[in-house]
Amino acid sequence: MRNQKGVTVWFTGLSGAGKTTVAREVERQLKEKGYYVQRLDGDIVRQHLTRDLGFTKEDRDENIRRNSFVAKLLTQNDIITLCSFISPYRKARQTAREIIGEFIEVYVNAPLEVCEDRDVKGLYAKARAGEIDNFTGISDPYEPPQNPDLELRTDKETVEESASKVIEYLEEKGYINLPEDVLAG
Amino acid sequence: MRNQKGVTVWFTGLSGAGKTTVAREVERQLKEKGYYVQRLDGDIVRQHLTRDLGFTKEDRDENIRRNSFVAKLLTQNDIITLCSFISPYRKARQTAREIIGEFIEVYVNAPLEVCEDRDVKGLYAKARAGEIDNFTGISDPYEPPQNPDLELRTDKETVEESASKVIEYLEEKGYINLPEDVLAG
């Protein structure tokens, strides 16, 4: 038996809100402690699993469905799976939860102005200039979680603080640091 | 640490050759021993991950690429991953090996006549009647492995015999039953 129980931590939020940054820090800390962790990142996955898909609602939904299928495979094998996807539609995130089962919704919340001001990838500028269609927050909707399991205010807390919240939540819910007697059971 | 090292066992062969049947038996025996095992099956995956794809060479290649990406994620997390895909093209299987890394090619070999005679899913009859295009062995090529890691003659051996060969190979190569001193290292 492994000293961990499978779960998917689903980071949702605007582009530039810090989903990947926080997920990376959580990954780093958990791997340091010897846990099996797999990150699934929108930007990377779109080069492999879903490179045929664009950013229409239909394509976004299919993107989430495929990734949920993969996250489920990892989760059911007791991997801590960290998913960073904008996943702007409430219903698609609900579908992800239903497919995956063990699921923690983390709202990575920074105001649009902050994300746009950061504009790490230069995408907001392009979206404002009309060079990118269907850009979440600019020309496409973002439906914030109404009742997320966790909310991270990345405009007000450090990456380390956000990551700690996630790790503490995983401990609290018994996904990591399982006591010996549970493992033997 | 887990008492297992990640690897993908890739079953290739004609429809009806017994890929899924053998993979299921391997899965059953390994799970009974407490190993983490994940099967990826062409028929199932096509309902989720690759339901947009057909059976042209291009679509088959994309099917293998996506599944290889998923198998890699599982394998790098030390899951024993059992893939059952016709995967008729030598080059696509080579690509799978390159993507995944730890990779065992298993040629599930039964003569076409035997597979056609079994015709479990009634597909050969339909292919002969011209109701299915691009059917491997009938209207589409199958390129047998030239130097597979393992060959199973499912027309001459029982499912149990085939499964035992796979499990013995996994032990021999050190993917399962790792001794304590290796685990501590």
Side-chain angles (χ1 to χ4, degrees):
Chain A
M1 277 298 293
R2 294 174 179 134
N3 189 27
Q4 61 185 85
K5 186 164 166 275
V7 65
T8 287
V9 184
W10 190 279
F11 298 90
T12 173
L14 296 172
S15 177
K19 301 180 295 300
T20 298
T21 308
V22 175
R24 276 214 185 108
E25 178 61 18
V26 172
E27 178 190 35
R28 195 190 63 75
Q29 290 191 30
L30 289 179
K31 283 200 167 173
E32 205 174 81
K33 292 177 186 169
Y35 292 107
Y36 283 89
V37 185
Q38 183 62 54
R39 271 197 314 113
L40 293 178
D41 191 284
D43 290 348
I44 294 165
V45 162
R46 276 185 178 273
Q47 293 167 31
H48 297 278
L49 212 55
T50 58
R51 60 180 176 178
D52 56 315
L53 300 175
F55 293 87
T56 63
K57 179 163 189 312
E58 195 180 22
D59 278 7
R60 286 182 192 269
D61 284 351
E62 177 64 14
N63 184 43
I64 296 307
R65 265 195 301 270
R66 283 190 208 161
N67 280 297
S68 299
F69 178 72
V70 176
K72 180 192 162 198
L73 296 181
L74 292 161
T75 299
Q76 72 189 17
N77 282 287
D78 280 346
I79 310 299
I80 309 291
T81 307
L82 309 176
C83 290
S84 315
F85 299 106
I86 295 172
S87 47
Y89 296 107
R90 211 167 275 143
K91 202 178 161 194
R93 295 194 301 268
Q94 182 56 31
T95 301
R97 184 188 288 274
E98 284 160 16
I99 291 172
I100 296 166
E102 297 288 338
F103 185 93
I104 297 169
E105 187 178 47
V106 179
Y107 180 21
V108 184
N109 185 5
L112 177 62
E113 308 78 66
V114 173
C115 296
E116 191 166 357
D117 194 50
R118 291 175 181 163
D119 205 9
V120 191
K121 303 173 199 160
L123 296 174
Y124 282 97
K126 285 187 184 171
R128 288 287 183 199
E131 291 166 30
I132 305 177
D133 292 333
N134 298 120
F135 195 83
T136 300
I138 306 293
S139 46
D140 234 28
Y142 180 78
E143 300 171 358
Q146 288 169 317
N147 193 20
D149 299 298
L150 263 182
E151 180 171 352
L152 310 175
R153 283 299 305 259
T154 58
D155 56 329
K156 296 182 179 169
E157 54 197 48
T158 66
V159 175
E160 290 70 24
E161 284 167 344
S162 296
S164 292
K165 281 189 186 175
V166 175
I167 290 173
E168 279 162 24
Y169 191 87
L170 287 171
E171 285 179 345
E172 190 187 311
K173 295 292 175 183
Y175 291 110
I176 55 175
N177 282 340
L178 302 181
E180 288 298 322
D181 55 341
V182 173
L183 293 173
Chain B
M1 277 298 294
R2 293 172 178 135
N3 189 27
Q4 61 185 84
K5 186 164 166 272
V7 65
T8 287
V9 184
W10 191 278
F11 298 90
T12 173
L14 296 172
S15 176
K19 301 180 295 300
T20 298
T21 307
V22 175
R24 277 214 185 107
E25 177 61 18
V26 172
E27 178 190 35
R28 195 190 63 75
Q29 289 191 30
L30 289 179
K31 283 200 166 173
E32 206 174 81
K33 292 178 186 168
Y35 291 107
Y36 283 89
V37 185
Q38 183 62 54
R39 271 197 314 113
L40 292 179
D41 191 284
D43 290 348
I44 294 165
V45 162
R46 275 185 178 272
Q47 294 166 31
H48 297 277
L49 212 55
T50 58
R51 60 181 176 177
D52 56 315
L53 301 175
F55 293 88
T56 62
K57 179 164 189 311
E58 195 180 22
D59 278 7
R60 286 182 192 269
D61 284 352
E62 177 65 14
N63 183 43
I64 296 307
R65 265 195 301 271
R66 282 190 208 162
N67 281 296
S68 299
F69 178 71
V70 176
K72 179 192 162 198
L73 296 181
L74 292 161
T75 298
Q76 72 189 17
N77 282 288
D78 280 346
I79 309 300
I80 309 291
T81 307
L82 309 175
C83 290
S84 314
F85 299 106
I86 295 172
S87 47
Y89 296 107
R90 211 167 275 143
K91 203 179 161 193
R93 295 194 302 267
Q94 182 57 31
T95 301
R97 183 188 289 273
E98 283 159 16
I99 291 172
I100 296 166
E102 298 288 338
F103 185 93
I104 297 169
E105 186 178 47
V106 179
Y107 180 22
V108 184
N109 186 4
L112 177 62
E113 308 78 64
V114 173
C115 296
E116 191 166 357
D117 194 51
R118 292 174 181 163
D119 205 8
V120 191
K121 304 173 198 160
L123 296 174
Y124 282 97
K126 285 187 184 172
R128 288 287 183 200
E131 291 166 31
I132 305 177
D133 291 333
N134 298 118
F135 195 83
T136 301
I138 305 293
S139 46
D140 234 27
Y142 180 78
E143 300 172 358
Q146 288 170 317
N147 193 20
D149 299 297
L150 263 182
E151 181 171 352
L152 310 175
R153 284 299 305 258
T154 58
D155 56 329
K156 296 182 179 169
E157 55 197 48
T158 66
V159 175
E160 290 71 23
E161 284 167 343
S162 296
S164 292
K165 281 189 187 175
V166 174
I167 290 172
E168 280 163 24
Y169 191 87
L170 287 171
E171 285 179 345
E172 190 187 311
K173 295 291 176 183
Y175 291 109
I176 54 175
N177 282 341
L178 301 181
E180 288 298 322
D181 55 340
V182 174
L183 292 173

